[in-house]
Structure formats: structure tokens, C-alpha cells
Amino acid sequence: MCVAFWYHGYGTNLGRLALYAEQNGRQQIWSSDNRPSLNAWQLSMVTIDARITATKFQLTFEGKVGNGDLGNYAIDDVALRPGPCAKTYVNLPHSCSFDADLCDFVQASDDTFDWTRRRGATPSSSTGPDQDHTSGSGYYMYTEASSPQKPGYFAKLLSPSLAFSHSHGCVSFWYHAHGQHLGSLSLVLEEFAKPDKTLWSIKGATGLDWINVKQDFKAASPFNVVFSSVIGASYQGDYAVDDVSIEPGLCSVQRNNQLAPQINLEYAEEE
């Protein structure tokens, strides 16, 4: 099991914050020891040992005061979900043109087929783009509607796990929807330990051009952005996406609407 929470510790007289698993005794599973004192919210994710979660247990946060009155700890947005914690990028933009690789985007394991990374036109006639959006000579991601796919089959492409301390974020991407029998394309927010939320969706075709979408969202917990494509009535139903950017802050206040350069992202490892 994974527990995720945001904590804030600041002051010259900070004491100590710790998280315990209580079950026929008390076991410390996290503490603020050797962690920086920043005047900012910080994310921590802790994988709880399976021997603890196998039976009933309780989690307890314990704060101890320091040697003065200038030292406060706070916690917020505590969430638990099954399975180990995942590597999570914190307060950093994540952008991908798909020209070099998938940039830590991954194929889902609970769908019926996969997205395909491609350069140039799709194999089927009268559907899909002829080239990528970025340069006309690079790569993009698309869903192939031809056999062995069948109507109703769906494919999901997941971003890496992300977390923004100010909770608001912006997804910008370009999509292509050309074909006589397109199904649907959706942008879904999968938030840690919460129900999935559809942020944007389209059914059918929109023409031969790449079209830009900028979508605001709010997520207090670690999250994934998911592109979900459903196959329509025939092979002429290829959806494509390119130049995806996920950034902190509202879309209306982004200073640069162009695709951000690829960077080496730091991340918060689980305990």
C-alpha cells in the first residue's frame, strides 16, 4: 500500500514530524529527520510493508515541538491506495513531442490494445495524419483502427505520475481526428485514490488539420493524465496526439504556449 501526503515544516525552532504504523505495537515508517526545512509544501510518498497491510492497522502522524515558538508543521491531502508508490515528478513541467521516445508515458495494462508511435502517414487510407505536428518529419502517437481491432476496443496512454503543490495544472496537446468512422478520444485525470475524471472528449472527425487543446484541471494528490481512444465502426478511425505538455498553473497564465524543451526531471522517490 502507498500513502501520499503533503507536509509543510518551517521555522528556526522546528521539532519533528513522524508517521507511524500501529499494529500490535508501533513502527515508524517516515520522519522529517534529515529533510530540508522549506517554507513550501513538500510531497512525501511511503510504501507500507505488505506484512503490515495484511491485517488491520492504523496510521498516526506525530508532531513534536522544538525549543522555541518558531517552528510549525502542517499536513494536508493524505491519501492511500493499493500497491507500491510510483516515482513521481513534483512541481515540474512534463512535455513530449514523441520524436525521441515516449518521455515516460506508458501503455495501460487494463485496455484492449496499445497506442502506436509513428512517423509519416498511418497505414490506412482516408484516416489519420500524413505527418506529425512538431516538424512534419517527426513522430506522434496514434491508435490504429484496422484489424485486429474491433469496434469498442480502447487504448490508454498514461503520463508519468505528477504532483503540483498549488493543485492547478494545465494540459496542452495537439490532436488529429480524420476518418469516416471515428469513435472517441478523451483526456482523463486519474488522481491518486480518487475516481477518474474526464477533462475533455470528442467524438467523430474534425478534419485534416492538427488542433490544439488547452485544458485546466485541479488535482491535490499525485495524478496521471490519460489519453483514451475508443475504436469506431470501421478501419477509418485513427486518432493521433502530439506535442503534449503538462505544467503547473492555469492555462490562462502560462507565459509560453510553445512546447517546452525536454529536460531532465527530478523526482520524489518513495520511502
Side-chain angles (χ1 to χ4, degrees):
M1 179 174 287
C2 177
V3 56
F5 59 93
W6 292 87
Y7 73 96
H8 190 290
Y10 185 64
T12 56
N13 307 123
L14 271 178
R16 186 172 187 267
L17 180 67
L19 176 62
Y20 295 90
E22 300 193 15
Q23 178 192 67
N24 298 323
R26 202 179 201 206
Q27 179 179 338
Q28 179 182 294
I29 59 175
W30 177 92
S31 79
S32 59
D33 296 345
N34 300 317
R35 297 178 185 272
S37 171
L38 302 174
N39 188 18
W41 286 98
Q42 300 177 74
L43 174 69
S44 191
M45 302 176 71
V46 185
T47 298
I48 306 173
D49 193 291
R51 290 170 294 183
I52 295 175
T53 60
T55 57
K56 186 176 180 179
F57 69 98
Q58 184 176 29
L59 294 178
T60 302
F61 286 94
E62 181 180 88
K64 291 186 176 180
V65 298
N67 295 322
D69 58 0
L70 296 177
N72 295 324
Y73 275 110
I75 59 173
D76 201 2
D77 296 316
V78 181
L80 294 95
R81 72 174 179 187
C85 300
K87 181 176 75 173
T88 299
Y89 298 102
V90 182
N91 290 333
L92 291 169
H94 193 79
S95 301
C96 193
S97 67
F98 303 109
D99 285 347
D101 52 32
L102 297 189
C103 317
D104 290 331
F105 278 79
V106 296
Q107 309 282 358
S109 59
D110 60 347
D111 52 9
T112 46
F113 73 107
D114 286 340
W115 285 74
T116 300
R117 179 172 170 263
R118 188 169 180 86
R119 187 178 190 177
T122 59
S124 304
S125 61
S126 302
T127 187
D130 291 329
Q131 59 188 23
D132 79 319
H133 170 263
T134 312
S135 65
S137 59
Y139 288 82
Y140 57 91
M141 299 297 292
Y142 88 104
T143 49
E144 175 57 61
S146 300
S147 179
Q149 272 65 268
K150 299 178 180 179
Y153 277 24
F154 65 100
K156 299 198 301 185
L157 184 68
L158 283 71
S159 75
S161 180
L162 303 164
F164 297 156
S165 60
H166 295 294
S167 74
H168 287 98
C170 172
V171 184
S172 175
F173 64 96
W174 293 80
Y175 77 92
H176 193 282
H178 169 55
Q180 189 175 359
H181 298 109
L182 283 160
S184 65
L185 176 66
S186 300
L187 178 69
V188 179
L189 181 70
E190 290 188 354
E191 193 173 358
F192 194 97
K194 293 183 179 180
D196 294 351
K197 180 180 180 180
T198 299
L199 301 175
W200 171 94
S201 67
I202 187 173
K203 292 183 179 180
T206 56
L208 295 172
D209 296 328
W210 287 94
I211 298 175
N212 183 227
V213 172
K214 288 182 171 66
Q215 178 64 54
D216 290 321
F217 66 91
K218 186 175 183 180
S221 304
F223 64 89
N224 302 88
V225 168
V226 182
F227 291 97
S228 180
S229 174
V230 180
I231 296 297
S234 82
Y235 73 93
Q236 293 180 335
D238 297 347
Y239 280 110
V241 297
D242 201 4
D243 293 332
V244 180
S245 178
I246 310 166
E247 301 185 30
L250 296 173
C251 298
S252 59
V253 297
Q254 298 295 343
R255 290 179 294 177
N256 185 354
N257 291 328
Q258 301 300 315
L259 180 69
Q262 304 258 346
I263 59 175
N264 293 321
L265 298 179
E266 297 181 358
Y267 57 86
E269 285 277 19
E270 68 272 16
E271 296 293 312

